Amino acid sequence: MGPLASHLGGEVVAAGDYDQLIANEDSLTGKYLKGELTIAPPAFPRKWKRSISVEGARQNNLRDLTVEFPLDVLCVVSGVSGSGKTTPGQADPLSRPPEDQG
């Protein structure tokens, strides 16, 4: 979609597989995929001092996941559909699985 979004408009600029996207001269995504356009990483990564930890998460398809999410920086969780990306953020922090209660 592009070049604008939301209430500003937007239109399908390119559609198809990888080869079709990179062949389309109007596709910004295609230009990034080909390496014609790039985004330079910052010279110095932002340091973080605070975080939220999830320990031993066992909900949905997670099996004893322990992870630390940094605060005050952009943090991205990526993965295929159904891999459990949103589960740690949806859990009640005070709840425990039934086998841990008692």
Side-chain angles (χ1 to χ4, degrees), residues 1-5 8-14 26 28:
M1 297 298 293
L4 302 172
L8 300 175
E11 60 186 76
V12 176
V13 174
D26 293 330
L28 283 175

Side-chain angles (χ1 to χ4, degrees), residues 15 17 22 27 30 33 38 43 75 78 80 98:
D17 62 17
I22 64 171
S27 171
L33 290 172
T38 61
C75 178
S78 64
V80 298

